[in-house]
Amino acid sequence: MQQIKLKKGLDIPMCGAAALTIGSINRPTVYKIVPDHYAGLTPKLMVKEGDQVKAGSPLFHDKQFAELIVTSPVSGKVVEINRGERRKVMFIGIKADIKTDYVQFDLKQNVKDLLLQSGLWAYIKQRPYDCIAMPSKQPKAIFVSTFDTAPLAPDYGFVLAGKGNFIQAGINALSELAPVYVGLQHNNKTTDFAALKNCTLYSVEGPHPAGNVGVQINHVAPIAKGETVFTVNIQDLAIIGQFFTTGQVKQERLVALTGDMAFEPQYFRILPGTPASAITHCNVRKDMATRIICGNVLSGTQITEDESLCYRCNQVSILAEGTEKHEFMGWLLPRFNDFNAKTTDPAKFLDNGLWYWLFGPKQYNWDARVKGGRRAIIVSGEYEKVFPMDIYPEQLIKAMIAGNIDKMEQLGAYEVAPEDFALCEYICTSKLPVQAIVKEALTNLKKEIE
């Protein structure tokens, strides 16, 4: 088994990890499917208000690839199709039946057709461009990471306990499209993933972003111009495997509610289209302003309680906004209760030394303050310290800002996704929205190249 050891990166200690328990929620009456959650897909509706649908029935398809469809996670009645400016579809509201009725698919068809017809193709992403995989592309490999190193990330050993047969079925199916590579965490206590077959296993050791599939691709099979690699989240792989076992589209997943602003951080079972309020209601502190993030605190998306969780959501993070805090000349203080990525900071020295020796790793309470303003790019080499890919991040970001496609190609734009630059954005002295820059650049690159 190939072993990858990363030295660059940064683990961010936070309070509020999810307990290994599954909480109960009130099942929503209406599920809202949001087309904007499906990156790179331009929707064309296949239903209208008043239609009855089953779990697995098509809701809309992509205008460019008509065979790429999105299906309903529940059975029920389409009660609302909400449109915005220029009649853009904002969401499709489905009033769910008490008992779910599923479409039964014939599994004798080929794998690609089944993934497209069931709507599960939307769970497959591609590099380059970090979007839903284009059905016309032939990948050279499919990568799956079985662990996540982001702050307060879900424990996939717990999430997928007892689903080893579904994961293996998913690998068996995807292996008909391309060779499958599965990344394991070095010295991981969970042994179920190490027993997977029909795939190439490799282990990864190191700080965040060791769990990012982009980092693993860069070390195992770098992407050259003209090549395509598919990626699948491990929990999405279990959903795909369950489909190829039962013939039914069952998109239920476990989501970790994390953060010190949650009263009981734990796991919840949800379906795509579930409002965030279903898991945050009565479980989030109301005595101060809070921020709800769909995803982790580094690369997630800020949402409100009324908005639906993304169909790929594995984690919801709750942070304090920090608007109530006011520090006099705070930049001069040693900040013993604040985490600092700089190794020269005295607080960092104490945390890694005396505190660690006495009490173990220190956990911090965080808020959403930026603690600084935008300024010109400072060439400091700080990105390279937390960026464990064979790419020059500062030069690539500058090329993306300038829109220089030739430079972007030479510097490795085909391999990256916004989440790979999350730590660069966190430590950036210039306070640049690095992930937004990368996302916009990849979108423009796709328009120019494809």
Side-chain angles (χ1 to χ4, degrees):
M1 184 187 300
Q2 180 180 354
Q3 295 185 356
I4 302 170
K5 293 185 178 181
L6 305 177
K7 295 183 179 180
K8 295 182 179 180
L10 180 67
D11 286 327
I12 299 180
M14 296 185 66
C15 297
L20 300 183
T21 57
I22 301 176
S24 60
I25 63 173
N26 293 325
R27 188 185 183 196
T29 304
V30 176
Y31 291 82
K32 297 180 180 179
I33 311 303
V34 181
D36 279 352
H37 289 167
Y38 299 81
L41 188 151
T42 304
K44 186 171 183 179
L45 290 178
M46 302 175 69
V47 294
K48 60 183 182 297
E49 290 186 7
D51 285 356
Q52 290 289 143
V53 296
K54 295 181 179 181
S57 296
L59 298 178
F60 56 88
H61 66 79
D62 183 30
K63 286 185 177 180
Q64 182 179 3
F65 299 102
E67 66 272 26
L68 175 52
I69 66 174
V70 172
T71 57
S72 174
V74 296
S75 63
K77 182 179 180 181
V78 178
V79 293
E80 182 180 7
I81 297 178
N82 186 281
R83 295 181 182 270
E85 295 182 1
R86 303 179 66 179
R87 293 187 57 77
K88 176 183 177 181
V89 180
M90 306 305 293
F91 66 81
I92 301 170
I94 303 174
K95 186 177 181 181
D97 295 334
I98 297 176
K99 183 179 180 181
T100 304
D101 189 13
Y102 295 92
V103 176
Q104 187 66 44
F105 288 85
D106 181 7
L107 298 179
K108 295 181 180 179
Q109 306 175 63
N110 69 65
V111 169
K112 185 175 182 179
D113 289 343
L114 283 169
L115 287 171
L116 290 168
Q117 293 171 18
S118 63
L120 297 182
W121 185 272
Y123 285 110
I124 304 175
K125 299 186 75 174
Q126 73 165 51
R127 305 284 175 102
Y129 315 128
D130 188 46
C131 61
I132 292 176
M134 302 179 194
S136 59
K137 295 291 185 179
Q138 176 58 45
K140 73 170 186 177
I142 300 175
F143 275 79
V144 181
S145 177
T146 63
F147 66 102
D148 193 344
T149 51
L152 305 179
D155 182 346
Y156 285 121
F158 172 77
V159 169
L160 299 171
K163 294 188 177 181
N165 59 325
F166 292 150
I167 296 173
Q168 185 62 65
I171 290 176
N172 294 340
L174 294 183
S175 63
E176 296 188 21
L177 303 178
V180 179
Y181 292 79
V182 178
L184 307 175
Q185 190 168 11
H186 189 60
N187 294 329
N188 193 351
K189 295 180 181 179
T190 304
T191 58
D192 291 346
F193 301 136
L196 294 173
K197 301 178 180 179
N198 203 19
C199 60
T200 301
L201 300 174
Y202 58 91
S203 68
V204 187
E205 181 181 5
H208 183 66
N212 284 13
V213 69
V215 174
Q216 299 173 20
I217 292 172
N218 182 259
H219 286 79
V220 176
I223 305 172
K225 184 177 180 180
E227 294 180 336
T228 301
V229 168
F230 288 174
T231 66
V232 184
N233 177 271
I234 184 65
Q235 190 165 192
D236 299 337
L237 180 65
I239 293 174
I240 291 173
Q242 186 174 16
F243 168 73
F244 280 100
T245 302
T246 65
Q248 298 176 345
V249 180
K250 298 182 178 180
Q251 302 184 56
E252 187 179 72
R253 63 198 300 117
L254 277 180
V255 170
L257 177 65
T258 63
D260 60 332
M261 289 294 103
F263 289 121
E264 296 184 23
Q266 58 184 321
Y267 293 82
F268 296 92
R269 297 190 188 277
I270 69 162
L271 286 167
T274 300
S277 58
I279 64 175
T280 60
H281 181 66
C282 297
N283 201 12
V284 175
R285 291 178 58 179
K286 304 294 184 182
D287 56 335
M288 61 178 68
T290 57
R291 178 174 298 190
I292 303 174
I293 302 171
C294 182
N296 63 70
V297 295
L298 290 176
S299 58
T301 304
Q302 182 179 357
I303 61 174
T304 64
E305 283 193 314
D306 296 330
E307 292 184 69
S308 298
L309 298 175
C310 174
Y311 73 107
R312 296 179 184 274
C313 181
N314 296 307
Q315 177 182 1
V316 175
S317 306
I318 312 294
L319 283 181
E321 285 285 358
T323 52
E324 299 86 357
K325 295 184 179 180
H326 303 282
E327 298 177 345
F328 176 68
M329 299 183 69
W331 58 276
L332 283 177
L333 302 177
R335 294 179 177 274
F336 291 109
N337 291 321
D338 287 348
F339 177 78
N340 197 315
K342 310 297 183 184
T343 55
T344 56
D345 185 77
K348 175 94 171 176
F349 174 77
L350 289 176
D351 291 346
N352 290 339
L354 181 62
W355 183 280
Y356 187 90
W357 181 70
L358 291 174
F359 307 106
K362 186 175 181 179
Q363 305 295 316
Y364 295 84
N365 294 317
W366 294 72
D367 56 49
R369 290 178 295 165
V370 178
K371 298 181 181 178
R374 293 277 295 276
R375 63 204 79 173
I377 296 178
I378 301 172
V379 182
S380 61
E382 58 189 356
Y383 289 1
E384 282 82 356
K385 296 177 182 179
V386 296
F387 195 79
M389 300 174 71
D390 188 19
I391 289 173
Y392 295 109
E394 284 188 3
Q395 289 83 343
L396 178 55
I397 292 299
K398 288 182 179 181
M400 288 179 167
I401 293 174
N404 190 329
I405 293 179
D406 290 337
K407 281 289 185 182
M408 289 163 57
E409 290 179 340
Q410 295 170 13
L411 291 169
Y414 292 121
E415 293 191 58
V416 300
E419 66 175 12
D420 298 326
F421 289 84
L423 281 176
C424 297
E425 182 173 316
Y426 167 70
I427 66 165
C428 182
T429 304
S430 303
K431 306 296 181 182
L432 294 178
V434 179
Q435 293 182 84
I437 292 171
V438 175
K439 183 177 181 180
E440 182 180 2
L442 292 177
T443 301
N444 294 334
L445 185 63
K446 181 183 177 184
K447 291 178 181 178
E448 293 290 335
I449 302 298
E450 296 299 327

